[in-house]
Amino acid sequence: MDLATTYQEDRAQLRKMRYISLFEGCTLLLLLGIAMPLKHLGGYPGMVSLIGPIHGLAFLLYCWMLVQTLSVGSWTRAERLRMALAPIIPFGALLNERLLARRLASLAQE
C-alpha cells in the first residue's frame, strides 16, 4: 500500500468520524433537550420512544467508528480519552468534531 492510498484512507476515516460525531451529538441533545422534558414535564413519552432508539444506534455507531478511527492514526492518550468520553457528555461529541476537523486540516497540510 502506498503513502497516497494511506493518506486518502485516513482522510476518509476522519471525515466519517466527524459526521458520526455530529450525528451522535445532535441525537443526544434532542433526547436530553426535547424528548426528556416533553416526557417528564409535558406527559408526552412518545418522543423518547422515537428518539431514544435512534440515539442508541448513533451511540453504537460512534463506538464502532471510534475503534476504527483510533486504530488508524497516532493519537495521544488525552485525545483517545477525550474521544471516548465525548458521546457521554452533552455537547462533547460536538466539541469532539472540532478536534477531528483540526486533525483533518493538519493531515491536509502534510
Side-chain angles (χ1 to χ4, degrees), residues 16-99:
K16 286 189 278 186
M17 186 66 193
R18 280 184 68 199
Y19 296 139
I20 296 303
S21 184
L22 282 172
F23 180 63
E24 194 279 333
C26 289
T27 60
L28 179 62
L29 290 177
L30 284 173
L31 186 63
L32 296 177
I34 295 174
M36 294 298 286
L38 280 176
K39 178 181 179 180
H40 294 290
L41 300 175
Y44 300 108
M47 286 297 286
V48 172
S49 300
L50 175 69
I51 296 177
I54 294 170
H55 172 67
L57 288 174
F59 179 78
L60 291 175
L61 185 59
Y62 180 91
C63 292
W64 176 251
M65 290 300 295
L66 179 64
V67 169
Q68 290 180 347
T69 302
L70 292 180
S71 67
V72 171
S74 59
W75 300 87
T76 66
R77 182 177 293 164
E79 289 173 333
R80 283 188 229 140
L81 183 62
R82 178 182 175 172
M83 289 175 64
L85 293 177
I88 299 168
I89 303 165
F91 298 106
L94 300 176
L95 294 173
N96 188 43
E97 189 273 336
R98 288 186 181 172
L99 169 72

